[in-house]
Amino acid sequence: MPKYRVEQYELHATTYEVDADNEAEAIKKVFDGLAIPMDNSLEYIEVAEDFGLPTDEYFELADELRALGVSVGEAVIPSIRSIEQVDE
């Protein structure tokens, strides 16, 4: 039986500490990569179903998933970033 590697989009949150004069500057420093992530602050939120493989490029896979009863949107195969066969 083949083995596959499937990469899934997920939403996570991380808390950062940053020295700044105000909230806007603090956010800008986070965006610029100048903030320090707090230890053990990474928190799983949910699967990111708005992102995924485009169904117009993976239409055969989308049809196969629908046939298996998997809910597939019009634009994306929800939450799947990539899939590759790694061995047979």
Side-chain angles (χ1 to χ4, degrees), residues 62-86:
D63 288 343
E64 291 173 12
L65 287 165
R66 289 182 185 109
L68 292 172
V70 175
S71 178
V72 175
E74 291 296 317
V76 297
I77 297 170
S79 80
I80 301 303
R81 182 174 186 211
S82 66
I83 181 167
E84 65 177 309
Q85 186 172 341
V86 291

Side-chain angles (χ1 to χ4, degrees), residues 36-50:
I36 299 169
M38 294 179 61
D39 288 340
N40 301 316
S41 70
L42 183 64
E43 176 185 351
Y44 171 81
I45 298 173
E46 64 185 14
V47 172
E49 294 189 6
D50 292 338

Side-chain angles (χ1 to χ4, degrees), residues 5 11 13 17 19 21 23 28 32 34 42 46-47 50 53 56 64 71 74-75 79-81 87-88:
R5 187 167 293 141
L11 294 177
E17 282 191 351
D19 293 325
D21 291 329
E23 291 175 341
K28 182 175 182 336
D32 290 343
L34 302 174
L42 183 64
E46 64 185 14
V47 172
D50 292 338
L53 294 174
D56 60 345
E64 291 173 12
S71 178
E74 291 296 317
S79 80
I80 301 303
R81 182 174 186 211
D87 69 11
E88 291 187 39

